[in-house]
Amino acid sequence: MKQLFLLLIFLLAIFFRFNNLNWDQNHHLHPDERFLTMVGRAMRLPQSFADYFNQEKSLLNPSNIGFNFYVYGTFPLVLTKYLAVILGKDNYNDFTLVGRFLSALVDFLTVILVYKATKLLIGGFKNGSRFTLHVTPLFSAFFYAVSVYPIQSAHFFTTDTFLNFFMFGSFYFILKAIKNRRFILHLLFSSLFFSLALASKISALYILPLNLGILFLIFVLQKGSFIKRIICYSLFVICYLLLVYLFLRIFNPYYFENQSFFNSTLNKNFVESIKMLTSLSKPEVWYPPGVQWINKPWYGLLLTTFLVGLGSINFIIMLVGLIFVISKIKNQKSKIHSKNQKGIYFIFLLILIIFWVVGYFVYQSSQFVKSIRYTIYLYPFFAIFGGVGASVISYWLLVIGKKNKFFYYVIRYTLYVILFLWPLLFSTIYFHPHTRVEASEWIYKNLENGSFILGEHWDDPLPLPREKNFGKNFQVELLPVFDPDNFEKWQKMRQLLQKADYYMLSSNRGWGSIPTVPNRYPLMSQYYQALLNGDCEKQKKLVGVCYKKIKTFEPYYYKFIKYPDHWVEETFTVYDHPTVLIYEKNKD
């Protein structure tokens, strides 16, 4: 029965991740995907191993193909390139789809790792019931399989799912090293996975303190001379890092300036790219994608995780699991004899994991950019705690059910439905056309040929090119909504708005972020308020003309649940099935 449930969980994970990978119908509506696809298409496979490792000549090196600004690792892109060439899909549309397939695949493999890692961790609980030991790994795998943010990320050809899989893999093999006699072999695998994580994105460095901390516990809690243990630990850390460096030189040699193994100087273009990205992640910098973060409260990341990333019920169950583990640590501590080193090690292991997960989440919440994207590698750990929480609740229900079986089964299956509900609702966006595609089809059918349409800078203009366009062509220009609110901007805004026939907001990138900083955009904030509220008098006062909303396209799940737009970040409101608003100029 256990194997059957596990199979069903894996099938469910596959369904959620591989469902409609071509969700935007080849329109490339994710900006990071567009960039990676352009870089990947420009890459050329080397003729030899020597060419591959030659940073100055290799055409797999972004610096050599016109992309000096590149902040990601190249491994996911190179892997996609080789597979696309082998499959004969090295073209603009198919390259992205191959990348999305690989992204979905590695995230599915993360489900398997979550199951196996939970088995290793849950086995350390003393006096744990057979129910808990058998059910918790299944619940954890299920919890990750239905976590919404990983499901969404699996549909994107970005480096994030690769990063997550390899980071968690490095942690898993560290666990295997301490649970298994083949310590050296698993340490080797951990270093391999960590290097692949680094080769995917440099932020993999965040998992290193956890991995080395676990390794530290192994040696410190051993018997014998303390100095000898520290020396052994230091030697193993040096070997671990040398292996990581060796693998990194193989899987992403383009992080480095030259071929020499003994010269670790980083690629100057990559270093400058990281510095530039860091400089853009500051509130004082005038960078449109950063506007949404300027007045974001400290709990913004927590709110996004609670409402969307996990879903409110799933988040609460995860907290139940976390609290239960903390309470269990206290109970275990009182029962473990000072000579029981395995028990002591297990307590410190759990404390270390909790400290790392909570500490990193708090750290990321304190940053200017509080993006859920930078927490994807916490989701496997959320799933472990979520599995514990679900199994604890199920056990309580089992105890209650001995007195009232009807109540037990009703509540238990209601719990399963609730856990499954938000992921299923969210995934309805993949059962239906993308809102921008749907809006584009409506535009071609209903608007007059030659109509003058306005879009916005830093957003995808509408209509998107479609084969079935009824022979219609439109004049499209973009409003400089993110420019500073000066005289030149408003002169151009007034001219374009008075000249155009329609004004289309293809997402809330502008109206969802600009009004949150009225001190920076006083006029633009007022105009958005007047536009969204249908206040013609105020619109005319600001730009001399009035636009009225004639059509709205929303994600399908908005029929059942809709949060205020300022509560959720652009990851869920701009790239993936955004709300599209179409306005027509009032001719009265």
Side-chain angles (χ1 to χ4, degrees), residues 314-537:
N314 302 49
F315 186 91
I316 292 169
I317 291 172
M318 184 269 291
L319 279 185
V320 169
L322 178 60
I323 293 169
F324 177 81
V325 170
I326 293 172
S327 66
K328 201 71 174 176
I329 289 172
K330 293 180 180 180
N331 293 336
Q332 294 273 103
K333 186 177 179 181
S334 62
K335 295 177 182 178
I336 291 175
H337 193 272
S338 60
K339 293 183 180 180
N340 185 353
Q341 292 185 335
K342 286 187 177 180
I344 295 173
Y345 171 78
F346 178 68
I347 288 174
F348 279 105
L349 172 62
L350 291 178
I351 292 172
L352 186 61
I353 292 171
I354 292 171
F355 182 79
W356 182 82
V357 171
V358 176
Y360 178 79
F361 192 87
V362 171
Y363 162 77
Q364 193 55 51
S365 297
S366 69
Q367 300 300 296
F368 170 62
V369 178
K370 301 173 177 62
S371 177
I372 196 173
R373 181 176 188 176
Y374 301 135
T375 63
I376 189 170
Y377 26 87
L378 297 184
Y379 277 75
F381 297 94
F382 290 162
I384 292 173
F385 295 131
V388 172
S391 65
V392 167
I393 293 171
S394 294
Y395 182 74
W396 291 339
L397 293 174
L398 187 63
V399 173
I400 295 172
K402 289 180 179 179
K403 298 179 180 179
N404 189 332
K405 289 188 177 181
F406 176 77
F407 173 80
Y408 164 67
Y409 283 112
V410 168
I411 299 299
R412 179 181 175 182
Y413 288 108
T414 300
L415 175 65
Y416 292 161
V417 170
I418 290 173
L419 279 171
F420 186 71
L421 189 60
W422 169 232
L424 187 61
L425 283 177
F426 177 81
S427 292
T428 57
I429 62 176
Y430 304 120
F431 302 142
H432 297 83
H434 193 282
T435 48
R436 284 174 175 152
V437 174
E438 193 177 10
S440 297
E441 292 175 349
W442 183 89
I443 291 166
Y444 285 118
K445 288 180 181 178
N446 294 278
L447 269 56
E448 293 182 5
N449 186 36
S451 295
F452 188 172
I453 297 173
L454 290 177
E456 295 184 331
H457 280 150
W458 290 90
D459 212 350
D460 290 270
L462 299 178
L464 300 170
R466 304 290 293 166
E467 289 184 10
K468 195 173 182 179
N469 62 6
F470 302 95
K472 293 181 179 180
N473 291 296
F474 304 102
Q475 182 182 351
V476 179
E477 289 200 36
L478 303 179
L479 290 170
V481 295
F482 282 101
D483 286 2
D485 270 2
N486 53 33
F487 175 78
E488 291 78 11
K489 169 184 175 176
W490 278 97
Q491 188 178 38
K492 186 174 182 180
M493 290 276 294
R494 289 176 68 93
Q495 289 174 352
L496 289 173
L497 285 165
Q498 290 176 13
K499 183 180 177 182
D501 301 305
Y502 299 92
Y503 180 14
M504 301 190 180
L505 307 175
S506 70
S507 79
N508 76 334
R509 167 153 277 183
W511 62 265
S513 58
I514 286 176
T516 66
V517 284
N519 58 321
R520 180 172 291 194
Y521 292 102
L523 293 176
M524 200 67 227
S525 297
Q526 291 179 46
Y527 180 68
Y528 273 135
Q529 184 181 26
L531 180 71
L532 296 171
N533 292 336
D535 189 339
C536 271
E537 185 177 341

Side-chain angles (χ1 to χ4, degrees), residues 38 51 79 94 98 132 152 178 183 186 204 221 311 340 362 371 388 393 396 406 443 497 515 573 584-585:
M38 288 189 291
D51 289 342
L79 179 63
D94 288 337
V98 172
T132 302
Q152 185 197 47
I178 63 175
F183 178 81
H186 291 122
L221 297 177
N340 185 353
V362 171
S371 177
V388 172
I393 293 171
W396 291 339
F406 176 77
I443 291 166
L497 285 165
T573 62
E584 182 179 26
K585 184 166 65 178

